[in-house]
Amino acid sequence: MKKSYFIFPFLFLSLLSCSRGILGDAEDTIGLERREVLFTSGKDSIELRTTKGDDWWLSSISTSDTTYINHSVKDIIMEGGGLYVKKTGRKSIFIRVESNKTGMERRFSIVIQAGNYFNSIEIRQKTGD
Protein backbone atom coordinates (compact mmCIF):
# COMPACT_ATOMS: atom_id res chain seq x y z
CA MET A 1 0.00 0.00 0.00
CA LYS A 2 2.89 2.39 0.66
CA LYS A 3 3.91 2.18 -2.98
CA SER A 4 0.55 3.60 -4.05
CA TYR A 5 1.22 6.74 -1.98
CA PHE A 6 4.25 7.39 -4.17
CA ILE A 7 2.57 6.49 -7.45
CA PHE A 8 -0.52 8.72 -7.13
CA PRO A 9 1.36 12.00 -6.54
CA PHE A 10 3.73 11.17 -9.40
CA LEU A 11 0.80 10.34 -11.69
CA PHE A 12 -1.04 13.53 -10.68
CA LEU A 13 2.02 15.71 -11.38
CA SER A 14 2.56 13.99 -14.70
CA LEU A 15 -1.01 14.65 -15.80
CA LEU A 16 -0.85 18.24 -14.61
CA SER A 17 2.32 18.96 -16.55
CA CYS A 18 0.92 17.37 -19.73
CA SER A 19 -2.36 19.27 -19.60
CA ARG A 20 -0.69 22.66 -20.03
CA GLY A 21 0.33 22.04 -23.64
CA ILE A 22 -2.72 21.74 -25.87
CA LEU A 23 -2.11 19.84 -29.09
CA GLY A 24 -2.20 22.31 -31.97
CA ASP A 25 -2.11 25.30 -29.64
CA ALA A 26 0.42 27.53 -31.37
CA GLU A 27 1.07 31.25 -31.51
CA ASP A 28 -0.20 33.13 -34.57
CA THR A 29 2.80 33.34 -36.89
CA ILE A 30 0.86 34.45 -39.99
CA GLY A 31 -1.14 37.53 -38.96
CA LEU A 32 -3.96 37.64 -41.52
CA GLU A 33 -5.26 41.17 -42.07
CA ARG A 34 -8.79 39.79 -42.61
CA ARG A 35 -10.35 36.47 -41.78
CA GLU A 36 -13.71 37.05 -43.45
CA VAL A 37 -14.49 38.22 -46.97
CA LEU A 38 -17.87 38.93 -48.60
CA PHE A 39 -17.95 38.84 -52.41
CA THR A 40 -20.62 40.06 -54.81
CA SER A 41 -22.49 37.50 -56.93
CA GLY A 42 -20.40 38.24 -60.02
CA LYS A 43 -16.80 37.34 -60.69
CA ASP A 44 -14.88 39.10 -57.91
CA SER A 45 -11.42 39.13 -56.35
CA ILE A 46 -9.32 40.50 -53.51
CA GLU A 47 -5.70 40.47 -52.43
CA LEU A 48 -5.03 40.07 -48.71
CA ARG A 49 -1.81 40.59 -46.79
CA THR A 50 -0.24 39.01 -43.76
CA THR A 51 1.38 41.08 -41.04
CA LYS A 52 3.69 38.56 -39.40
CA GLY A 53 5.55 35.63 -40.86
CA ASP A 54 6.07 34.97 -44.52
CA ASP A 55 6.83 31.24 -44.41
CA TRP A 56 3.24 30.01 -44.73
CA TRP A 57 1.56 27.91 -47.39
CA LEU A 58 -1.89 27.06 -48.71
CA SER A 59 -3.15 23.98 -46.90
CA SER A 60 -6.69 23.44 -48.21
CA ILE A 61 -9.84 25.03 -49.58
CA SER A 62 -13.31 23.78 -48.79
CA THR A 63 -16.75 24.24 -50.27
CA SER A 64 -19.98 23.01 -48.73
CA ASP A 65 -19.42 19.51 -50.10
CA THR A 66 -15.76 19.18 -51.14
CA THR A 67 -12.33 19.76 -49.60
CA TYR A 68 -9.32 20.28 -51.84
CA ILE A 69 -6.08 19.49 -50.00
CA ASN A 70 -2.66 20.80 -50.97
CA HIS A 71 -0.10 18.00 -50.82
CA SER A 72 3.01 20.13 -51.33
CA VAL A 73 4.18 23.25 -49.53
CA LYS A 74 5.74 24.37 -52.82
CA ASP A 75 2.39 24.66 -54.63
CA ILE A 76 1.31 28.29 -54.60
CA ILE A 77 -2.00 27.86 -56.45
CA MET A 78 -5.16 26.01 -55.40
CA GLU A 79 -8.54 26.00 -57.10
CA GLY A 80 -11.83 24.21 -56.94
CA GLY A 81 -15.57 24.79 -56.72
CA GLY A 82 -15.36 28.21 -58.40
CA LEU A 83 -12.58 29.48 -56.13
CA TYR A 84 -9.02 30.32 -57.20
CA VAL A 85 -6.35 31.05 -54.57
CA LYS A 86 -2.71 32.01 -55.16
CA LYS A 87 0.12 32.96 -52.85
CA THR A 88 1.33 35.99 -54.81
CA GLY A 89 4.18 37.03 -52.58
CA ARG A 90 5.75 36.18 -49.26
CA LYS A 91 3.05 38.19 -47.45
CA SER A 92 0.14 38.28 -49.89
CA ILE A 93 -2.63 36.00 -51.09
CA PHE A 94 -4.91 36.55 -54.10
CA ILE A 95 -8.47 35.15 -53.99
CA ARG A 96 -10.88 35.07 -56.93
CA VAL A 97 -14.39 33.64 -57.20
CA GLU A 98 -16.29 32.88 -60.37
CA SER A 99 -19.84 34.20 -60.85
CA ASN A 100 -22.35 32.60 -58.52
CA LYS A 101 -25.12 31.09 -60.62
CA THR A 102 -26.24 28.51 -58.08
CA GLY A 103 -29.22 30.48 -56.76
CA MET A 104 -27.83 30.17 -53.20
CA GLU A 105 -25.14 31.93 -51.21
CA ARG A 106 -21.81 30.12 -51.56
CA ARG A 107 -19.37 29.59 -48.71
CA PHE A 108 -15.70 28.72 -48.92
CA SER A 109 -12.96 28.23 -46.37
CA ILE A 110 -9.27 28.67 -47.14
CA VAL A 111 -6.82 27.17 -44.65
CA ILE A 112 -3.26 28.47 -44.57
CA GLN A 113 -0.54 26.93 -42.45
CA ALA A 114 2.82 27.88 -40.98
CA GLY A 115 4.45 24.98 -39.14
CA ASN A 116 1.94 23.77 -36.54
CA TYR A 117 -0.18 26.92 -36.78
CA PHE A 118 -3.35 26.92 -38.94
CA ASN A 119 -5.55 29.89 -39.77
CA SER A 120 -8.52 30.23 -42.06
CA ILE A 121 -10.20 32.78 -44.28
CA GLU A 122 -13.98 32.39 -44.45
CA ILE A 123 -15.56 33.51 -47.71
CA ARG A 124 -19.20 34.17 -48.53
CA GLN A 125 -20.44 34.97 -51.99
CA LYS A 126 -23.86 36.50 -52.51
CA THR A 127 -26.38 34.79 -54.74
CA GLY A 128 -27.06 36.09 -58.24
CA ASP A 129 -30.32 37.84 -59.00
Side-chain angles (χ1 to χ4, degrees):
M1 188 67 177
K2 286 187 177 185
K3 289 183 183 179
S4 65
Y5 289 121
F6 293 112
I7 293 174
F8 288 125
F10 178 73
L11 182 61
F12 177 73
L13 290 174
S14 297
L15 291 174
L16 182 63
S17 64
C18 291
S19 67
R20 289 187 184 158
I22 300 170
L23 183 61
D25 184 24
E27 183 178 325
D28 182 357
T29 57
I30 299 170
L32 285 170
E33 71 177 353
R34 289 176 64 183
R35 294 193 56 209
E36 292 183 41
V37 178
L38 177 62
F39 283 118
T40 64
S41 62
K43 188 174 183 178
D44 205 350
S45 65
I46 191 171
E47 186 155 2
L48 300 178
R49 303 195 83 33
T50 62
T51 59
K52 293 184 180 179
D54 54 12
D55 195 24
W56 52 268
W57 60 91
L58 301 171
S59 182
S60 67
I61 57 175
S62 298
T63 65
S64 60
D65 58 353
T66 307
T67 299
Y68 304 89
I69 298 174
N70 190 356
H71 295 287
S72 171
V73 297
K74 295 182 181 181
D75 291 340
I76 60 169
I77 296 174
M78 290 189 74
E79 56 186 317
L83 181 68
Y84 173 89
V85 183
K86 180 178 181 180
K87 182 176 181 179
T88 54
R90 295 189 60 87
K91 291 192 174 215
S92 59
I93 183 170
F94 176 78
I95 303 166
R96 182 181 69 224
V97 291
E98 297 300 322
S99 295
N100 183 359
K101 298 177 182 174
T102 64
M104 300 180 342
E105 181 179 83
R106 293 197 302 185
R107 293 179 180 262
F108 303 96
S109 181
I110 301 168
V111 177
I112 60 177
Q113 180 179 353
N116 289 332
Y117 180 76
F118 297 83
N119 208 330
S120 64
I121 303 168
E122 302 303 318
I123 297 172
R124 290 185 1 218
Q125 185 182 24
K126 294 180 179 181
T127 184
D129 294 328

